[in-house]
Amino acid sequence: MEFTARQIADYLKGEIQGDPAVKVHGFSKIEEGQPGTLSFLSNPKYSHYLYESRASLVLVNRDFQPEHPVQATLLRVDNAYESLAQLMALVEQFAPQKSGISPLACVSASATVGADAYVGPFAYIGEGVRIGDHARIYSHASIEDGCTVGDHFTMYNGAHIYKGCVVGNHCTLHAGAVVGGDGFGFAPTEDGSYKKIPQMGNVVLEDYVDIGCNATVDRATLGSTIVRRGVKIDNLVQVAHNVEVGEHTVIASQSGIAGSTKVGSHCVMAGQVGIAGHLHIADHSTFGAQTGVPNSIKTPGQVHMGYPAIAAGNFRRSSVVYKNLPELQRTVADLQRTVAQLQQRIQELEGQK
């Protein structure tokens, strides 16, 4: 499939700088650009690649000003990265899609599968499951009894949804993701052992939720673990029982949220963030990599780093002090020796009186 710069500009409502008739048939990274491909530049630290790139068409932000001549045709848009995502989504729509139920799949007689759906080999659909239109369920995936899944749902190989869970429209579960596994509920007994607490609730994923490979969202002890609309969860993330994650929050790899914590909307968690249980996290909170959060965050819109989590500015100043601790320790030791010598000298002088 081939498009001209003019066709792409009309679709993105962008401004062409160069040849509007140039044609592209694929995508490439700016540093690996090849003729006939479209690339993009959104991060200024990659701008030096633009002047060497062989890509035919490059998306740039409207305010970008090149410092050297550029061979490629430039397409100026409001947001180059967002525009690239739009184009990729458009191309994906035209890609061939599988449909139909494989004879090797196991679909319960009481299950309902919507129009134009695909169920791959060795997938399992349990009793009473309802699956919406245009769903894509790949091999070895399983949806247990009583689940409801919306339209345009995609579930990759080896992902699992446990019984009674609810998944909205346009959601994606990547390979190995598990929705609705038991929460970590065990009651200590008098003899020091632990007795399992049955997890009687479920998980609710609202629309446009993406869950990465081998990530887990545990079912609630009672009620529901809720992941609100537009949440994006990276690979290897743990969301514990009875957690609620607010709209359009993004959670990066190896982060974990302990049980019954309520996370606000539009929050950002970088890699390996840990949030303790039974907390409230304010809207628009951002946590840098490896931040530990032992207490509730009540003020919205703040950036936090470190453990225990503190304001990012304080963390950076503390980091400077931490780096200088060996030198500060030597300085303190020198001062202690000097003070001791002065005290000894004072005592000697007083003894001479």
Side-chain angles (χ1 to χ4, degrees):
M1 190 170 297
E2 198 171 57
F3 298 93
T4 66
R6 172 54 60 197
Q7 289 173 318
I8 296 172
D10 291 343
Y11 177 72
L12 297 176
K13 297 180 173 55
E15 176 186 349
I16 297 173
Q17 182 179 329
D19 181 7
V22 67
K23 296 180 179 180
V24 295
H25 55 76
F27 299 95
S28 64
K29 296 192 295 186
I30 188 70
E31 64 268 33
E32 299 174 1
Q34 295 296 320
T37 64
L38 177 146
S39 189
F40 79 105
L41 176 66
S42 62
N43 190 329
K45 76 176 185 178
Y46 293 103
S47 59
H48 62 282
Y49 289 116
L50 175 63
Y51 311 113
E52 304 169 0
S53 180
R54 299 173 61 202
S56 298
L57 182 63
V58 179
L59 299 175
V60 297
N61 295 332
R62 290 190 191 275
D63 59 358
F64 173 74
Q65 296 299 325
E67 298 176 355
H68 306 287
V70 179
Q71 293 184 354
T73 294
L74 300 183
L75 177 52
R76 297 183 178 277
V77 292
D78 293 333
N79 185 315
Y81 194 59
E82 183 178 335
S83 294
L84 178 72
Q86 284 182 255
L87 289 177
M88 287 182 165
L90 178 65
V91 170
E92 193 175 51
Q93 287 177 13
F94 288 100
Q97 297 287 346
K98 294 181 177 182
S99 63
I101 299 174
S102 168
L104 297 177
C106 180
V107 180
S108 300
S110 60
T112 302
V113 179
D116 192 35
Y118 169 70
V119 182
F122 308 108
Y124 172 74
I125 310 298
E127 297 288 343
V129 170
R130 289 179 293 164
I131 298 174
D133 298 338
H134 312 291
R136 299 287 178 267
I137 300 167
Y138 290 89
S139 61
H140 297 280
S142 67
I143 303 176
E144 301 292 337
D145 298 351
C147 291
T148 301
V149 175
D151 298 337
H152 298 280
F153 169 70
T154 302
M155 187 178 187
Y156 287 99
N157 311 69
H160 302 281
I161 304 177
Y162 283 38
K163 65 179 181 180
C165 293
V166 178
V167 178
N169 302 315
H170 297 277
C171 290
T172 300
L173 268 61
H174 285 278
V178 178
V179 170
D182 277 2
F184 194 65
F186 297 90
T189 63
E190 292 182 359
D191 65 3
S193 63
Y194 289 86
K195 183 177 181 60
K196 181 172 176 57
I197 301 171
Q199 305 293 287
M200 306 297 291
N202 71 346
V203 173
V204 175
L205 307 182
E206 294 187 347
D207 297 344
Y208 294 98
V209 171
D210 282 58
I211 298 180
C213 297
N214 297 319
T216 60
V217 182
D218 291 346
R219 72 192 309 108
T221 306
L222 296 170
S224 298
T225 301
I226 303 174
V227 180
R228 297 290 184 191
R229 178 185 177 90
V231 169
K232 310 302 179 187
I233 296 177
D234 197 2
N235 306 332
L236 299 171
V237 167
Q238 156 86 20
V239 178
H241 59 89
N242 289 96
V243 165
E244 181 176 333
V245 182
E247 291 185 355
H248 304 294
T249 285
V250 292
I251 307 173
S253 181
Q254 299 181 32
S255 293
I257 306 172
S260 299
T261 284
K262 310 301 180 188
V263 177
S265 65
H266 299 275
C267 292
V268 177
M269 299 178 202
Q272 296 186 334
V273 168
I275 298 182
H278 303 275
L279 305 183
H280 285 79
I281 306 300
D283 296 344
H284 296 274
S285 294
T286 297
F287 301 97
Q290 297 186 326
T291 298
V293 187
N295 300 304
S296 291
I297 304 296
K298 298 179 180 180
T299 304
Q302 291 187 335
V303 180
H304 305 269
M305 299 179 72
Y307 180 82
I310 58 175
N314 290 340
F315 177 82
R316 294 189 186 98
R317 287 188 289 271
S318 300
S319 297
V320 172
V321 174
Y322 183 79
K323 283 195 303 183
N324 294 330
L325 279 180
E327 183 179 342
L328 289 172
Q329 185 182 33
R330 288 192 294 271
T331 300
V332 170
D334 290 342
L335 288 172
Q336 287 175 328
R337 284 193 293 270
T338 301
V339 169
Q341 291 170 359
L342 289 172
Q343 288 175 335
Q344 183 178 359
R345 181 57 178 160
I346 290 170
Q347 291 174 355
E348 290 174 353
L349 291 174
E350 289 179 347
Q352 295 174 3
K353 291 181 180 179

